[in-house]
Amino acid sequence: MAHKKPHLPQKICEICGKPFSWRKKWEKNWDAVKYCSERCRRSKSKT
């Protein structure tokens, strides 16, 4: 069975540098998303 969503947009996390894909919960503010996870978002002031 093939993956149903192979062409989702991706971004690079500003903190860890890892790529992350679009998620439904980010649908309305995808342009403002900068971090791949809550952990990276919280550590933004430490770097």
Side-chain angles (χ1 to χ4, degrees):
M1 186 169 147
H3 193 328
K4 293 182 180 181
K5 301 178 184 179
H7 302 294
L8 295 175
Q10 287 190 338
K11 289 186 177 183
I12 304 295
C13 178
E14 292 184 3
I15 301 299
C16 66
K18 293 181 182 178
F20 63 97
S21 297
W22 181 91
R23 293 183 187 173
K24 179 72 174 172
K25 69 179 185 177
W26 294 329
E27 183 176 23
K28 294 180 182 177
N29 65 343
W30 175 243
D31 294 332
V33 175
K34 298 178 184 178
Y35 311 108
C36 64
S37 64
E38 187 66 24
R39 182 178 181 180
C40 283
R41 188 185 66 78
R42 280 194 220 121
S43 66
K44 67 184 174 187
S45 61
K46 294 178 184 176
T47 59

